[in-house]
Amino acid sequence: MVVKSLKTENYRNLENTVFYPAKGINVIYGSNAQGKTNLIECLWLFTGGRSFRGSKENELIAFGKNKADIELCFQTREREQTIRFGIQGGKRQPVLNDVPKSSLSQIVGSFCAVVFSPDHLTLIKNGPDERRNFIDGAICQIRPAYASLLSRYKKILSERNALLKDIPHHRELEDTLDIWNERLSVEGSDVAIQRIAYIKELMEPAISFYEGISSGKERLSLEYRMHYPANVNMSRDEIADVMLKTLRRKQNDDIYCGYTTTGIHRDDLMVKINDMEARSFGSQGQQRSAVLALKLAEAEQIGENRGENPVILLDDVLSELDNTRRNYLLKELSGMQIFITCCEPFVDAENIVHIENGKICC
Ligand code: ATP
Ligand code: MG
């Protein structure tokens, strides 16, 4: 997959930008606060994912304006495609190849990218929600229907949570809770099965990348940990059954808390190095290497499943890595289109551009 052009109008400080990247490595350099991360974030939005900075949609619009327009033209194995977004009223309105789409999930899987920013270096160290987001985002790009499944689960979850908050004031509503228990366990078991399958696929490349980064001295392993008494060898129906029983068992706790205390929204990806949990026992360097291995494995999995490589977005991470890891990363990613942001252009590249105050100049 190759980005051919990016156009922005009133997107953050990229007020009026037209960028034609090269096929290989693109270096975008500039001082702090000039728009480098804005550019990477903008490219990432075309995957259909949320801003990796956790920004709200309205924050993407340039100060003082009420709408942003962004357009990406990219080449896939089959043909050239375009995605356009108007961002307005807290929403992104997608148009794929001139056809308006009603939701973001309908464009997920069209443009594939893997993003790696200093924030991702804490993927191992931080809480389970970041690791769940990592798995979910990665699955969405190779199995686009997963995005709709996830949003169905989230909708049922928020309706069940709203009901849990109402029950103490209207006890008669408690009888209706079991309908939501059943719906949640049906959709939830589907999500769990897809996550388990994806982690199995990711495991082999992640282990081999970690072995490469650590020069064969350490071994990485991955495990999907469920928040209910199920295991990864169970069938979808068995997991659904366990989930339903757990939801029923915890029903009183949930009413007391006012939210759903069990389910796939509490699951985690355990990352271990030499059989010890990296989050609690890994050094900072080991945790970084594990994230690097996961990201490389994610890119490889997209390549294998889609039959073409994703675009790689490296926001300010090269300067955070030592020379050995930096060279390893670039070697493993060679052949893919890469966008690298940095303050000084220290990498050989097909295209090196300078960004200043939201303006790109060669
Ligand atoms: P650094 O090297 O420090 O990471 P950067 O080049 O990556 O810097 P960005 O994070 O891209 O910088 O931000 C550039 C500028 O964009 C900041 O000065 C910020 O105030 C500005 N900015 C952020 N959101 C908006 C917005 N909605 N409208 C206009 N400008 C914005
Ligand atoms: Mg930045």
Side-chain angles (χ1 to χ4, degrees):
M1 206 160 282
V2 174
V3 172
K4 298 189 88 177
S5 68
L6 170 73
K7 295 180 185 156
T8 73
E9 213 172 298
N10 298 328
Y11 181 84
R12 293 204 192 255
N13 77 335
L14 308 174
E15 286 183 7
N16 220 319
T17 310
V18 185
F19 180 36
Y20 297 100
K23 265 188 178 171
I25 300 182
N26 293 273
V27 170
I28 301 116
Y29 75 100
S31 308
N32 295 132
Q34 300 306 310
K36 301 183 296 293
T37 302
N38 293 347
L39 187 90
I40 296 291
E41 176 191 48
C42 185
L43 285 166
W44 170 253
L45 293 184
F46 292 98
T47 61
R50 300 196 45 192
S51 158
F52 58 83
R53 288 166 147 181
S55 303
K56 298 196 178 83
E57 301 285 303
N58 270 342
E59 292 167 5
L60 309 175
I61 303 168
F63 300 141
K65 308 283 182 194
N66 63 13
K67 189 177 182 219
D69 288 286
I70 56 177
E71 183 181 311
L72 188 82
C73 174
F74 59 104
Q75 182 73 47
T76 62
R77 224 164 22 134
E78 290 109 28
R79 61 187 176 133
E80 197 173 286
Q81 305 203 53
T82 55
I83 299 176
R84 279 201 313 274
F85 288 118
I87 308 172
Q88 196 173 25
K91 272 198 165 170
R92 229 181 301 165
Q93 295 124 1
V95 179
L96 173 63
N97 301 323
D98 295 321
V99 181
K101 300 285 175 184
S102 57
S103 72
L104 282 179
S105 58
Q106 291 187 17
I107 63 141
V108 169
S110 308
F111 172 68
C112 294
V114 170
V115 64
F116 195 3
S117 81
D119 288 349
H120 293 110
L121 291 170
T122 58
L123 186 68
I124 307 286
K125 198 156 61 188
N126 286 0
D129 48 336
E130 282 191 34
R131 286 182 291 282
R132 281 194 304 270
N133 285 344
F134 163 70
I135 309 171
D136 289 340
I139 303 175
C140 280
Q141 297 207 61
I142 52 176
R143 299 195 245 295
Y146 183 76
S148 317
L149 170 64
L150 262 190
S151 67
R152 279 201 304 280
Y153 180 87
K154 284 181 186 159
K155 192 156 176 271
I156 298 168
L157 181 66
S158 78
E159 292 188 23
R160 186 178 188 270
N161 287 345
L163 182 61
L164 289 169
K165 287 192 182 72
D166 278 350
I167 288 175
H169 312 291
H170 305 276
R171 279 325 288 202
E172 72 282 4
L173 291 174
E174 197 171 337
D175 292 344
T176 61
L177 199 53
D178 209 46
I179 299 168
W180 298 102
N181 294 343
E182 280 172 14
R183 294 185 62 188
L184 209 56
S185 53
V186 169
E187 305 290 356
S189 57
D190 268 347
V191 172
I193 284 289
Q194 298 233 30
R195 286 180 180 168
I196 291 165
Y198 179 69
I199 291 165
K200 263 190 203 148
E201 281 177 34
L202 197 71
M203 189 100 86
E204 203 187 295
I207 290 172
S208 109
F209 285 128
Y210 191 87
E211 218 174 83
I213 300 165
S214 68
S215 313
K217 289 189 205 117
E218 294 163 354
R219 195 185 138 79
L220 179 89
S221 60
L222 305 175
E223 186 188 313
Y224 186 56
R225 184 158 296 173
M226 289 175 270
H227 197 262
Y228 28 89
N231 67 63
V232 296
N233 299 316
M234 284 180 168
S235 69
R236 179 193 164 283
D237 288 350
E238 286 168 333
I239 294 178
D241 193 49
V242 170
M243 263 182 201
L244 182 60
K245 286 185 178 135
T246 314
L247 283 164
R248 285 176 178 160
R249 186 162 41 82
K250 295 201 159 186
Q251 194 157 301
N252 285 339
D253 292 353
D254 288 3
I255 294 170
Y256 178 77
C257 295
Y259 60 85
T260 306
T261 56
T262 185
I264 53 106
H265 57 287
R266 306 292 295 273
D267 291 351
D268 198 358
L269 169 68
M270 304 297 298
V271 180
K272 291 184 179 173
I273 297 167
N274 290 346
D275 294 325
M276 282 191 290
E277 206 188 317
R279 186 180 179 197
S280 313
F281 302 106
S283 73
Q284 216 168 20
Q286 285 174 320
Q287 292 181 354
R288 281 176 175 216
S289 300
V291 177
L292 204 57
L294 287 177
K295 286 278 163 187
L296 286 167
E298 182 192 0
E300 187 170 299
Q301 274 317 100
I302 292 177
E304 266 185 26
N305 278 277
R306 305 284 312 238
E308 63 183 329
N309 287 323
V311 167
I312 307 293
L313 310 171
L314 303 176
D315 183 30
D316 230 359
V317 281
L318 286 199
S319 53
E320 302 250 346
L321 298 174
D322 59 31
N323 258 334
T324 319
R325 289 200 201 118
R326 186 189 297 170
N327 293 336
Y328 183 83
L329 178 68
L330 290 175
K331 184 176 96 325
E332 293 300 330
L333 294 174
S334 65
M336 304 191 198
Q337 188 184 34
I338 310 178
F339 293 81
I340 296 172
T341 67
C342 44
C343 290
E344 297 298 333
F346 54 84
V347 187
D348 279 343
E350 279 77 12
N351 185 27
I352 299 181
V353 295
H354 184 232
I355 185 164
E356 197 175 339
N357 206 8
K359 303 227 165 5
I360 294 174
C361 31
C362 298

